[in-house]
């Protein structure tokens, strides 16, 4: 299916609940392969993710862009805006490669209605090469017609703890729907959270064995001892990630194959890696991986 047809069909399916079944709607049918038994992938108490395996990074980027475009259109039709949180690393460039691939794909998005947040950010100046905000701006947002202020960035001039509290307050004031969390209080509901995956299984700035894995009293947390440099950061916690309407992981390259194998087909008694602990409260959870990252999977 060409990208324009995929976007139109996917958007129509999302807009019509009666057509949201993947057996009916071609756009919701996985173009790549899907595991034979998704219910086996995570424990029964957690959301069963949908795994999409693509033959190449380019094919993944194209399909990811089609999904984001469709989710954007559906959110704007429902509540006049699209809120998305983006991780750092290679994800902004991968996303922009699909969304900006052609004039048609770029024009298919109502950029003026976007609200963009950062899943995690290094506590560095906004023009620092390590800044995830800088990557989002340069890879995508500076090339499209987003209004000034569409990207919510941290205020790095603040001490890291105050920076995290400030970002949480500004997110709560950003006009999104809120839900009540038993320990984290009011939590904004993002339309989409896009997550990357580290070779150690970390996502956002939630690292294996770190105390932040159990942080549930705040939606944005500071971290000053990150195992990866720079050590000082702010990050979404699980209550913030899990509140989203849709959560999509993106993993590419052979360097991720062992961790992807562990997440989807690891032993039942393994300590869950941070990425595997993502468990949307009521939203959807999907993975977009290329063949290299899925190389060790048996069920694909």
């Amino acid at each position: 299916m060409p990208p324009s047809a995929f976007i139109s069909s996917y958007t129509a399916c999302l807009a019509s609940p009666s057509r949201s079944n993947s057996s009916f709607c071609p756009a919701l049918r996985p173009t790549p392969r899907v595991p034979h038994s998704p219910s086996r992938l995570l424990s029964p108490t957690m959301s069963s993710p949908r795994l999409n395996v693509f033959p190449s990074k380019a094919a993944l980027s194209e399909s990811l862009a089609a999904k984001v475009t469709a989710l954007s259109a559906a959110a704007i039709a429902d509540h006049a805006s699209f809120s998305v949180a983006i991780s750092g690393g290679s994800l902004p460039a991968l996303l922009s490669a699909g969304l900006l691939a052609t004039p048609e794909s770029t024009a298919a998005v109502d950029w003026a209605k976007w609200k963009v947040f950062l899943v995690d950010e290094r506590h560095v100046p906004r023009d620092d090469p390590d800044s995830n905000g800088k990557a989002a701006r340069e890879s995508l947002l500076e090339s499209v017609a987003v209004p000034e202020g569409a990207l919510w960035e941290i205020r790095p001039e603040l001490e890291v703890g105050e920076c995290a509290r400030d970002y949480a307050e500004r997110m709560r004031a950003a006009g999104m729907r809120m839900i009540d969390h038993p320990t984290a209080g009011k939590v904004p509901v993002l339309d989409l959270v896009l997550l990357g995956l580290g070779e150690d299984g970390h996502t956002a700035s939630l690292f294996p064995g770190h105390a932040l894995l159990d942080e549930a009293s705040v939606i944005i947390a500071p971290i000053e001892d990150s195992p990866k440099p720079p050590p000082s950061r702010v990050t979404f916690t699980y209550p913030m990630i899990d509140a989203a309407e849709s959560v999509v992981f993106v993993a590419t390259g052979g360097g991720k194959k062992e961790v992807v194998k562990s997440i989807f087909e690891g032993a039942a008694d393994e300590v869950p890696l941070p990425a595997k602990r993502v468990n949307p409260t009521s939203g959807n959870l999907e993975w977009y991986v290329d063949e290299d990252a899925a190389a060790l999977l048996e069920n694909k």
Side-chain angles (χ1 to χ4, degrees):
M1 182 182 294
S4 59
F6 183 97
I7 292 170
S8 297
S9 180
Y10 203 157
T11 303
C13 293
L14 289 176
S16 175
S18 65
R19 302 182 63 195
S20 62
N21 187 293
S22 63
S23 64
F24 176 87
C25 177
L28 290 178
R29 251 181 250 142
T31 302
R33 297 188 304 275
V34 178
H36 297 114
S37 303
S39 61
R40 294 177 53 237
L41 300 179
L42 296 180
S43 67
T45 60
M46 300 184 73
S47 299
S48 296
R50 179 173 178 173
L51 175 65
N52 303 288
V53 180
F54 297 87
S56 66
K57 186 183 295 187
L60 185 157
S61 177
E62 180 181 4
S63 188
L64 179 64
K67 181 175 184 64
V68 171
T69 299
L71 291 175
S72 171
I76 291 168
D78 182 65
H79 47 266
S81 66
F82 177 59
S83 56
V84 56
I86 302 175
S87 297
S90 61
L91 204 156
L94 190 67
L95 179 63
S96 65
L99 289 172
L100 308 182
T102 66
E104 292 76 18
S105 65
T106 305
V109 175
D110 188 352
W111 300 103
K113 303 291 178 58
W114 275 39
K115 299 177 180 180
V116 183
F117 302 90
L118 301 171
V119 171
D120 64 327
E121 178 59 294
R122 289 79 180 261
H123 193 233
V124 296
R126 291 182 179 180
D127 61 352
D128 191 283
D130 282 333
S131 168
N132 288 339
K134 176 181 171 69
R137 281 185 269 110
E138 293 183 348
S139 296
L140 176 62
L141 301 177
E142 290 178 355
S143 301
V144 296
V146 295
E148 185 176 354
L151 174 63
W152 268 254
E153 296 192 72
I154 68 166
R155 292 172 174 158
E157 66 273 16
L158 300 175
E159 177 272 330
V160 66
E162 181 58 30
C163 182
R165 288 188 291 273
D166 173 77
Y167 199 55
E169 289 172 7
R170 289 191 290 126
M171 287 198 69
R172 287 184 170 120
M176 292 176 282
R177 181 170 70 89
M178 308 273 269
I179 61 171
D180 290 312
H181 186 276
T183 57
K186 297 289 185 182
V187 182
V189 178
L190 289 154
D191 294 310
L192 174 63
V193 172
L194 289 169
L195 296 174
L197 177 69
E199 293 182 11
D200 61 353
H202 86 268
T203 192
S205 286
L206 301 171
F207 293 93
H210 198 279
L212 279 187
L213 296 179
D214 297 318
E215 175 58 76
S217 65
V218 295
I219 60 171
I220 309 291
I223 175 171
E224 299 185 75
D225 57 351
S226 166
K228 292 187 64 177
S232 185
R233 305 165 175 229
V234 299
T235 182
F236 281 16
T237 59
Y238 288 115
M240 185 69 217
I241 295 171
D242 290 343
E245 295 283 0
S246 292
V247 178
V248 175
F249 275 95
V250 178
T252 62
K256 308 291 175 65
K257 62 185 179 182
E258 286 85 4
V259 68
V260 169
K261 172 72 171 178
S262 176
I263 288 170
F264 282 94
E265 297 175 351
D269 59 352
E270 284 185 11
V271 175
L273 292 168
K276 189 170 181 176
R277 293 178 61 162
V278 170
N279 182 32
T281 306
S282 59
N284 300 311
L285 177 60
E286 288 195 63
W287 282 73
Y288 279 49
V289 305
D290 66 2
E291 288 279 5
D292 291 339
L296 299 180
L297 293 179
E298 297 177 10
N299 296 312
K300 58 181 179 176

